């Protein structure tokens, strides 16, 4: 029995459980995956919840909003976790302590390479500097992006991410509202890391009149999979990567960390879509 879970706030819509249970079944493992929602746990405290998990047989847990940064301070980072990446989404309980990782940034990198091969990201404009924006920015750094342009409606948050990336030797620049249109036009890649496009926040975060000439686009939203942003990008001849790729590959990376197994991603994709065909459309 491999006992796993997800710690977060308002996580009832998460699809992580079905992915991890399916990956376990592929490996001949009996996997349970519990949702530990702070909205449902009285007097929730992250340290206490992690301790309870460690003491009650969990192999590990995923951590999501708003606890990724706090969890980073409580763990020993795995070697591949960049020192400046101050958030974790995966905690593994070991006899010698708690180990942490961020599979979002490596999951994004795997998804990018799956979709676009060895093509370099070039100059990339990213909207959103929250938790997923932090991970994709580090993913862009790992992929060798020439320049990372960051825009966030909360300028202080955007500038903080830029400072973090510069401290990690990335070429990052904050883009204010007045310069946003020019940044869209000049970018090779466009990334949405805002909630705009989700079923509950419909719309497109970019001015689609500025599309044309960009090479690729990625939307972190995966409910729905085909967002208004990606539909408009594809119509403009831009290659697109859906948010499902991030969800899928970060989940595989996390499961491999939890279990020590090695997952055949192509086989897992086939199994997942056979089991959940609605995931193709969100």
């Amino acid at each position: 029995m491999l006992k796993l879970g997800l710690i977060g706030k308002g996580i009832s819509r998460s699809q992580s459980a079905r992915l991890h249970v399916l990956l376990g079944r592929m490996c001949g493992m009996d996997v349970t995956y519990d949702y530990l929602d702070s909205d449902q746990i009285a007097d929730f405290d992250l340290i206490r919840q992690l301790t309870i998990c460690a003491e009650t047989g969990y192999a590990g847990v995923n951590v999501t909003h708003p606890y990724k940064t706090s969890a980073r301070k409580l763990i020993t980072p795995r070697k591949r976790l960049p020192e400046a990446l101050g958030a974790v989404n995966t905690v593994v309980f070991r006899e010698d302590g708690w180990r942490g990782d961020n599979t979002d940034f490596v999951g994004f990198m795997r998804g990018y390479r799956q979709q676009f091969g060895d093509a370099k990201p070039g100059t990339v404009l990213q909207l959103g500097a929250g938790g997923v924006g932090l991970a994709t920015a580090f993913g862009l750094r790992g992929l060798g992006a020439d320049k990372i342009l960051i825009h966030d409606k909360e300028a202080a948050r955007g500038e903080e991410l830029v400072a973090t990336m510069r401290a990690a030797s990335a070429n990052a620049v904050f883009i204010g509202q007045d310069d946003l249109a020019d940044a869209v036009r000049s970018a090779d890649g466009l990334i949405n890391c805002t909630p705009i496009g989700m079923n509950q926040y419909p719309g497109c975060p970019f001015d689609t009149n500025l599309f044309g000439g960009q090479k690729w686009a990625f939307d972190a939203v995966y409910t729905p999979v085909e967002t208004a942003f990606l539909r408009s990008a594809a119509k403009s001849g831009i290659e697109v990567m859906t948010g499902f790729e991030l969800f899928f590959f970060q989940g595989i990376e996390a499961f491999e960390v939890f279990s020590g197994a090695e997952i055949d991603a192509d086989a897992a994709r086939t199994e997942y879509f056979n089991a959940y065909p609605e995931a193709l459309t969100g």
Side-chain angles (χ1 to χ4, degrees), residues 30 95 103 139 145:
D30 187 9
E95 290 184 2
T103 65

Side-chain angles (χ1 to χ4, degrees), residues 17-254:
R18 67 188 195 183
L19 176 58
H20 283 271
V21 170
L22 182 144
L23 295 175
R25 188 164 63 244
M26 288 180 62
C27 297
M29 299 178 185
D30 187 9
V31 173
T32 62
Y33 193 99
D34 303 317
Y35 290 134
L36 306 167
D37 192 333
S38 60
D39 282 343
Q40 309 297 325
I41 298 172
D43 300 319
F44 177 86
D45 177 81
L46 180 61
I47 297 177
R48 184 170 68 244
Q49 187 60 60
L50 287 169
T51 301
I52 291 170
C53 290
E55 293 177 347
T56 55
Y58 283 79
V61 292
N62 288 127
V63 180
T64 192
H65 179 79
Y67 303 113
K68 294 180 182 182
T69 302
S70 297
R72 175 66 174 82
K73 300 171 184 176
L74 303 174
I75 56 85
T76 300
R78 297 184 76 227
K79 289 182 179 180
R80 71 177 180 182
L81 185 66
E83 185 176 347
L85 208 174
V88 299
N89 73 333
T90 302
V91 177
V92 183
F93 305 115
R94 301 286 190 239
E95 290 184 2
D96 59 348
W98 301 348
R99 297 285 186 270
D101 203 351
N102 188 311
T103 65
D104 285 332
F105 96 95
V106 288
F108 170 73
M109 291 171 67
R110 284 185 66 175
Y112 179 94
R113 289 174 178 139
Q114 172 78 19
Q115 196 70 32
F116 305 123
D118 294 329
K120 294 292 186 181
T123 295
V124 184
L125 172 63
Q126 174 177 299
L127 303 188
V132 68
L134 174 67
T136 54
F138 270 91
L140 290 170
R141 170 182 173 268
L143 291 164
D146 294 328
K147 184 181 289 188
I148 305 169
L149 311 177
I150 303 291
H151 173 77
D152 195 287
K153 288 185 176 180
E154 295 182 25
R157 185 167 69 169
E159 289 170 348
E160 181 181 0
L161 177 54
V162 166
T164 297
M165 299 310 300
R166 285 179 175 170
S169 301
N171 183 9
V173 178
F174 178 73
I175 300 296
Q177 186 65 42
D178 291 345
D179 298 318
L180 190 55
D182 286 341
V184 174
R185 292 189 189 98
S186 67
D188 298 300
L190 301 173
I191 291 181
N192 175 41
C193 287
T194 78
I196 299 173
M198 296 174 67
N199 287 325
Q200 58 269 48
Y201 303 108
C204 179
F206 290 94
D207 181 351
T208 58
N209 292 319
L210 303 174
F211 287 0
Q214 299 88 358
K215 297 175 182 177
W216 64 275
F218 165 67
D219 199 334
V221 171
Y222 70 96
T223 52
V225 173
E226 188 181 77
T227 61
F229 164 40
L230 293 187
R231 283 199 303 273
S232 295
K235 287 179 181 177
S236 299
I238 302 169
E239 285 193 79
V240 302
M241 170 180 160
T242 72
F244 177 83
E245 300 303 315
L246 174 57
F247 162 75
F248 179 70
F249 281 112
Q250 69 78 24
I252 286 178
E253 289 283 337

